[in-house]
Amino acid sequence: MPEANLRMTDYGDGITAIDTDLLRPYFDASHLVVENGRAAFIDCGVNDSVPLLLDALVSKNVDPADVDYLLLTHVHLDHAGGAGLLMKSLPNAKAVLHPRGAPHMIDPAKLIKGAQAVYGENEYFRQYGNIEAIPEARVVVAGHGEEFLLGGRVLQSIYTEGHARHHHCFYDAAAAAVFTGDSFGVSYRELDTDKGEFIFPTTTPVHFDPPEAHKAIDTIMGFEPRQLFLTHYSRITELQRLATDLHRRVDDFVKLVTRHADSENRTADVHASMYDYFIHEIREHGFTGGDHAIRDIIGKDVVLNTMGLEFWLDQQH
Ligand SMILES: [Zn+2]
């Protein structure tokens, strides 16, 4: 019996979003692509997500032995934390990784240290548990533009920096889709209104790079996709407008942190300004849930975005 908290959404084209149940409902997605009886996961959440992903296979009538790939957009733990554990249940799957990410899944020691630095040790263990390594023989390092065949369907690795230097997206021509990881920002379904989808960049430490973030948006839009699948959270379709909003908000975030460059209480000031920014923009977007609800939805992002923006600022001269 599938677990009660299995939340899946089918989008056609053999694409299903599976809620990894990290932090809150509809925060973090894994995507399952099924073609001619073969399957691939794109991102996988954390260790606690693994039973849900296996339940999703049951409900899709896919045998774990028929999963050919675990495609990992990057090695941030909300995307790849459960990868080592999941691979143990997928006997024939290869884990496809960016060359800069692969070493950290084969030996996760640095990844764990980095995540503990960002989240603090207690929070880290609560969210991620013990990160398991992926045996090197089961890792495929993807080149830029490299094609992976899934039951005859092509999934293509596309390097996109800006969010992380170890990030790639997967272009799916059959569905006119790109699985964007964190390279096309974050768009929570709770913030959908009559005006449509709301999007903003995720500037998590330690690789945020504004010019590259802009370039990644353009690279993704260059495929003329009909739909994008974000890890946070799943499908968006108003792509021209969202690309414009995302470009503007990358610039807005850079201006926001730069404005507080010489502040004595910089972190607190950036936090406060970012909250004000979000509340203003989300209200303008027609969200009627109130400021408290907005804070609940974007609170974690404000903390991580602030950290990443300050880190970026400190690298500038
Ligand atoms: Zn990330």
Side-chain angles (χ1 to χ4, degrees), residues 15 18 50 55 57 74-75 84 119 160 176 221 225 227 248 276 298 312:
I15 299 170
I18 306 155
V50 171
D55 279 350
L57 291 180
H74 62 307
V75 299
Y119 296 100
T160 48
M221 290 301 286
Q227 52 189 346
R248 176 168 55 84
D276 289 348
I298 50 92
W312 168 80

Side-chain angles (χ1 to χ4, degrees), residues 74 76 78-79 163-164 167 182 202 204 232:
H74 62 307
H76 286 162
D78 47 334
H79 301 253
H163 172 76
H167 199 297
D182 286 344
T202 167
T204 315
H232 316 280

Side-chain angles (χ1 to χ4, degrees), residues 83-241:
L85 184 62
L86 178 61
M87 287 294 282
K88 289 184 170 173
S89 296
L90 307 176
N92 299 315
K94 295 283 188 191
V96 176
L97 281 142
H98 187 284
R100 291 197 185 105
H104 300 299
M105 289 311 302
I106 294 163
D107 176 9
K110 242 177 107 179
L111 207 62
I112 293 166
K113 238 178 114 191
Q116 286 177 345
V118 170
Y119 296 100
E121 229 168 285
N122 288 340
E123 174 83 354
Y124 164 82
F125 276 111
R126 200 177 61 74
Q127 282 187 30
Y128 302 116
N130 288 313
I131 301 301
E132 301 214 19
I134 304 176
E136 190 167 2
R138 301 192 64 193
V139 169
V140 175
V141 175
H144 175 62
E146 188 164 341
E147 296 183 345
F148 296 90
L149 272 181
L150 181 75
R153 179 167 172 173
V154 177
L155 300 171
Q156 192 180 14
S157 155
I158 306 296
Y159 290 4
T160 48
E161 297 189 26
H163 172 76
R165 294 180 65 234
H166 48 85
H167 199 297
H168 54 170
C169 296
F170 292 94
Y171 171 54
D172 174 3
V178 183
F179 296 88
T180 58
D182 286 344
S183 286
F184 205 87
V186 160
S187 176
Y188 296 127
R189 301 282 60 81
E190 295 104 307
L191 297 175
D192 289 350
T193 68
D194 293 347
K195 293 188 179 176
E197 297 148 347
F198 183 86
I199 202 158
F200 61 92
T202 167
T203 64
T204 315
V206 290
H207 293 156
F208 174 59
D209 180 336
E212 288 291 338
H214 285 297
K215 208 170 113 187
I217 299 164
D218 292 338
T219 298
I220 290 164
M221 290 301 286
F223 288 95
E224 301 185 350
R226 175 165 66 77
Q227 52 189 346
L228 300 179
F229 292 91
L230 283 54
T231 301
H232 316 280
Y233 184 93
S234 202
R235 184 164 78 162
I236 54 172
T237 57
E238 300 161 64
L239 303 185
Q240 291 296 341
R241 199 251 310 157

Side-chain angles (χ1 to χ4, degrees), residues 288-309:
T288 55
D291 295 356
H292 202 81
I294 295 174
R295 284 172 186 269
D296 282 348
I297 295 166
I298 50 92
K300 292 265 178 196
D301 293 289
V302 169
V303 173
L304 286 179
N305 276 0
T306 298
M307 255 188 231
L309 288 166

